[in-house]
Each structure stands twice: as C-alpha cells, then as structure tokens.
Amino acid sequence: MKVSGTTILTRKTLVSRRFGSEAWRGFFREVAVANPWFKRPITASSFVPLPEFLAFHDELVRRFYADGKDALFELGAESARWALVDGPLQRFVQDPDISSLVATTQNIWHRYFAETDSRSEATLRDSGIEFRVRDLPAWHPYFEYFVVGYTKEMLEIYCANPIWTHRLTGGHGTTYGYLLATDPVPSAPPSSERGARCGRLLRPRKALTGRELEVLRLVGAGKTNREIAFVLAISEKTVQHHVAHAYDKLGIYSRAGATLWLAERGLLG
C-alpha cells in the first residue's frame, strides 16, 4: 500500500501555518536524516510507501498534535479544508449534487491510497451517509480517526446540514463503519447490522461544565489553545483536556463542529 504525496504537502501547509515554516523545516530535516526515503522530491503525484508514511505521520502527531483521537479528527478536518478548498484537490468535487457527492466520498480513498485491496464505500441514507472502510492492511489511528475527520469535513463543506459522526462497526480491526448523520438524532443503524450495536449507536449527551462551555465559546471565537490558555490563565494542556471532554460530550470532532453547535444555540460572540 502507498499513500499520496498530497498528504505530505497538506501537513506542510498546516504545520507551517500553525507553528511557522521553521518548525516544518526542522521537523522534516530530522525525518529525512532518520529515513533517507524522505530526501527525494515529494510532490502531489508522488506515492509514499505505507511504513514510511505511518512513521512520518506518527512522529508529526507526536510532535505537533499529541492529543489522542480528537486531535486526529481535527487534523483530518483541517486537511480536508485545505486540500479541497485551496490545495491540490480543489477541483476534485466536480458536482455537489448529493448523489455525486456520495460517489466522490467513496472514490476519494483511491485518490489517496494506491496498490491496495482496501476500499471505502459510501451509501446515501435518509439520516445521512453510511461510510465504511474495508480490508485495511492493519488498523492504525490514521486510517480511522483521521480519515473519518476528513470525510466528515468534506461533507460539511458542501452540505448546509451540520454533520454528526456515529460509529456503527469496528474496534481496531481491518473494517469499520460510521454514520455521517445529517439527522442529529438518528434512531437506529441504517443497515441490517443491528443487534447488540443498536443500543451503542448513540451515547447519551452529558451537560457541559461551566469551564468547558467557557473554553468552547473561545474555540468558537477562533482562539487557539495557546490563546485560550492565556485568556483563562490555565495551562495549554488543561485547555486541551476541556476541549476533548466537550467534544466527547457533544459528539463533535472539529472546531468547525464546535462553532456550528454554538451558533445553533446563540452562544457565539
């Protein structure tokens, strides 16, 4: 399995924007010293062998996004926003009609991954889009949390509806499924895969603490974690914990999702 060089270009843009171009240069220099494969030119048309890419990805996450699966969801969402709006895939979605968009959601897997039997499937349902990935070479956080964050944001870009994510199947295996719901409270899995999973599709929502809401409103105002930490006189790590807990309680996985949730309730500003 190989991974498109578009992923490396996207990381370059995101890291440089958030941490500065020198942070990217220093990081990439260390990666290339440790693994000579990265000394060669990498463009959007390049393909990186999977072991090299995952080692690169894991080190980047450890260095810049060390906050568990929520950080991967957010990184996936940020990647989609850049790649599809400003980056090399800005013409990838030719037709935003929902049927065409579902087909594009399914096909994007093979835009990013080559020489693999793995695949993604997307099916339009009354309550959203059922998205499944099958026959992974092995489970890795990148293949699930990043990919679902990316796919969710892709739909957010083109749909008026907020998108909620509900895991249908999986568990660190080679296949998983999510409902990317346009209905905020779907009553049951949209396929025949019911049984014991029905009761686990939706987690009961828990109320935010006052501090979590305070942090979330600053997220909605466009503040970074570092800026929020300064405003509230708390550590950046504490901010990360509040954001993660708020996202988990509300079932959202990106800053865009947090902003929409606040806007719907008149809590922005």
Side-chain angles (χ1 to χ4, degrees):
M1 185 175 190
K2 293 184 177 180
V3 184
S4 169
T6 300
T7 59
I8 308 295
L9 285 173
T10 302
R11 303 304 185 280
K12 175 184 179 180
T13 299
L14 299 183
V15 169
S16 297
R17 283 179 177 177
R18 180 176 292 191
F19 304 101
S21 58
E22 284 306 310
W24 173 258
R25 288 174 180 272
F27 165 73
F28 203 90
R29 186 182 302 113
E30 292 179 21
V31 168
V33 168
N35 187 337
W37 194 95
F38 287 93
K39 294 180 179 180
R40 67 191 69 189
I42 301 173
T43 69
S45 61
S46 302
F47 278 92
V48 185
L50 182 62
E52 279 73 16
F53 173 78
L54 291 181
F56 167 91
H57 169 82
D58 288 346
E59 179 58 23
L60 182 139
V61 169
R62 186 193 68 79
R63 185 83 60 92
F64 298 110
Y65 298 93
D67 193 25
K69 71 177 184 179
D70 290 327
L72 288 180
F73 271 109
E74 177 62 24
L75 180 56
E78 289 181 359
S79 298
R81 286 194 293 272
W82 180 76
L84 294 168
V85 176
D86 300 314
L89 299 187
Q90 57 184 296
R91 294 182 179 83
F92 189 77
V93 178
Q94 298 291 333
D95 183 357
D97 172 79
I98 187 59
S99 297
S100 298
L101 186 58
V102 170
T104 302
T105 300
Q106 175 171 297
N107 293 337
I108 202 166
W109 183 267
H110 287 294
R111 173 60 182 79
Y112 276 98
F113 303 114
E115 299 181 22
T116 177
D117 293 327
S118 63
R119 66 194 187 280
S120 64
E121 300 170 354
T123 306
L124 182 63
R125 305 294 185 186
D126 290 339
S127 55
I129 294 172
E130 186 177 332
F131 177 75
R132 297 185 180 276
V133 170
R134 301 188 185 277
D135 299 326
L136 290 169
W139 187 86
H140 187 279
Y142 170 79
F143 285 130
E144 181 170 342
Y145 305 134
F146 177 93
V147 167
V148 172
Y150 187 110
T151 307
K152 173 183 180 293
E153 190 66 19
M154 179 178 173
L155 296 176
E156 291 266 14
I157 290 170
Y158 293 98
C159 293
N161 316 62
I163 307 296
W164 288 266
T165 56
H166 302 293
R167 198 170 197 235
L168 300 175
T169 60
H172 293 195
T174 58
T175 297
Y176 66 79
Y178 278 75
L179 175 63
L180 303 173
T182 50
D183 176 357
V185 189
S187 58
S191 72
S192 60
E193 299 184 45
R194 298 175 183 271
R197 283 188 293 272
C198 287
R200 295 199 299 268
L201 175 60
L202 296 177
R203 293 173 298 174
R205 295 287 183 256
K206 298 178 182 178
L208 298 181
T209 66
R211 180 62 101 182
E212 287 166 353
L213 180 58
E214 187 177 21
V215 168
L216 200 68
R217 293 186 71 175
L218 290 170
V219 168
K223 301 290 186 184
T224 66
N225 285 357
R226 181 174 298 178
E227 291 169 335
I228 295 171
F230 178 79
V231 169
L232 299 180
I234 57 180
S235 72
E236 192 171 347
K237 191 67 176 178
T238 299
V239 173
Q240 291 175 350
H241 285 310
H242 286 316
V243 171
H245 291 160
Y247 281 11
D248 188 59
K249 288 179 178 181
L250 300 177
I252 57 179
Y253 297 100
S254 71
R255 288 177 175 258
T259 302
L260 285 169
W261 185 89
L262 291 162
E264 289 167 357
R265 291 155 180 79
L267 296 173
L268 281 178

